[in-house]
Amino acid sequence: MKKELTRQQHLDLYYYMRLNRAVEDMMVKLFRQNKIVGGLYSSLGQEAISVGTAYALEKKDWLAPMIRNIGALLVKGVPPRDIFMQHMAKYDSPTKGKDGTSHFGDLDNLHIVSPISMLGDLIPVMTGVAMAGRYLGQKIVAMTWIGDGGSSTGVFHEGLNFAAAQKAPFVLILENNLWAYSTPVRKQVPLENLADRAKAYGIQSYIVDGNDVVAVYSTAKEAVERARAGEGPVLIEAKTFRRMGHAQHDPAEYVPKEMRAYWEARDPISRYEKFLSSEKLLDAKVKKELEEKINALLAADREFAENSPMPPPELAETGVYCTGDDCHKIRAKWERPVAEVTPPRSSVKAVWTLPGFGSGKGSGGANAPIHFGDTQPAAREAGNKTNSANGGKPAAKTAPKKTVKPGAAGASRKARR
């Protein structure tokens, strides 16, 4: 690991990873007490990816998390109580109890787009967010995540191609955790490195150890800066392992014990603690202070969440569809003169003839006509040129072919028998 961050930044990464794991441990307890009404998904062993990538963003940037990116929400500023209440479907939750999983966002303040259950669909959505920010002159970067299984969906490729064609300031984190539910990655993708998929769209890609939070952060920071500078989208493949099942109901018995043991020994938090201690960035006193801070925060937020009421029945028919300003007010935030993107300054001269398309050179050096569809050549050169083998005389015309009526060929064959 490279020591490129300040001491406080190192401790921030450590704090958010520890908070990420503690929040999920708390939710497992709530789930087993039947206080969580929806599905519960674990990012155990993948905390370094969510934390390291989100930490590379600026406050004005946008992100859209997936089910294993609670760490990114915490870095962005979502309090644990909101995550607890959301999964408990409480009235004070971000969705007022309308949802019992991670489907919530914050468009006004934190710039978080709600997760979409259809895997891959966030890629074109966040490409659009990135393009909108560029149009408004905000100089933002948009980021989302996808798993190894989700990278095989059609919308993954369509969205990434769209981002590449538009040179959108967009960063995609591909979390290769080796399992798409119960399907191992080697059974679904004939590639050693999923980052190679970026080559098809002419964009840059990185491969990083997803269990090394500093490496993840450094890679993501470089990708974000390149995207912000106008170099187009970037794909980062973070190699890691999903240490729990797909969700709480999945015991993941299909995972070989040897594989699980190998990755447990590469736990990102334990590895980072050793690094921080060796660099004298973390000692027993600081570690204890961070643990006490996390424990106090989660105790207070859990109590708040459990005391939050369930939504009243009359709320069920409200908020199903956005009805405009009475729902929420979202206005374009211009950071550039509107005149730059409106006529006449935005006008582009129409060009009907593209260079290199519709004209060309033949092997003899002369202009070679290009024909489309069923159009005929302008002239048959064979009939106009002299035949050098015939003493310079014009080439003999080819006799026209006779038209054979249907059935005539068959009749002649019969006659020869």
Side-chain angles (χ1 to χ4, degrees), residues 167-185:
K167 293 197 71 174
F170 169 66
V171 177
L172 177 62
I173 313 299
L174 201 168
E175 296 186 71
N176 184 355
N177 63 21
L178 300 179
W179 293 91
Y181 204 121
S182 59
T183 302
V185 66

Side-chain angles (χ1 to χ4, degrees), residues 232-387:
V234 180
L235 170 67
I236 300 175
E237 178 188 0
K239 294 184 181 290
T240 184
F241 178 73
R242 192 195 73 204
R243 284 166 53 185
M244 299 292 287
H246 175 70
Q248 283 295 313
H249 63 270
D250 174 22
E253 295 177 349
Y254 43 80
V255 177
K257 294 180 180 180
E258 297 79 9
M259 175 182 282
R260 188 184 303 281
Y262 172 83
W263 284 97
E264 285 177 349
R266 297 174 60 82
D267 180 84
I269 295 180
S270 297
R271 289 179 66 190
Y272 195 43
E273 282 183 355
K274 293 178 181 178
F275 168 76
L276 294 176
S277 298
S278 66
E279 295 292 325
K280 301 188 184 311
L281 298 170
L282 178 70
D283 55 25
K285 179 183 177 182
V286 174
K287 182 178 179 181
K288 183 180 179 181
E289 290 174 352
L290 286 175
E291 290 175 346
E292 291 175 348
K293 178 181 178 180
I294 291 173
N295 292 336
L297 172 63
L298 295 191
D301 280 13
R302 173 179 177 170
E303 181 180 3
F304 184 94
E306 294 201 70
N307 290 331
S308 175
M310 299 301 290
E314 56 269 23
L315 190 69
E317 65 177 3
T318 65
V320 179
Y321 300 101
C322 179
T323 53
D325 287 349
D326 58 333
C327 174
H328 61 280
K329 294 182 179 181
I330 299 296
R331 296 289 184 268
K333 298 178 182 178
W334 290 91
E335 300 288 340
R336 67 194 296 185
V338 179
E340 289 184 4
V341 290
T342 54
R345 292 181 64 179
S346 67
S347 299
V348 178
K349 184 179 180 181
V351 178
W352 303 106
T353 304
L354 301 179
F357 190 83
S359 63
K361 297 288 185 180
S363 59
N367 288 333
I370 296 178
H371 305 288
F372 297 95
D374 59 354
T375 58
Q376 298 298 315
R380 293 185 179 277
E381 297 183 4
N384 297 329
K385 292 183 178 179
T386 59
N387 190 336

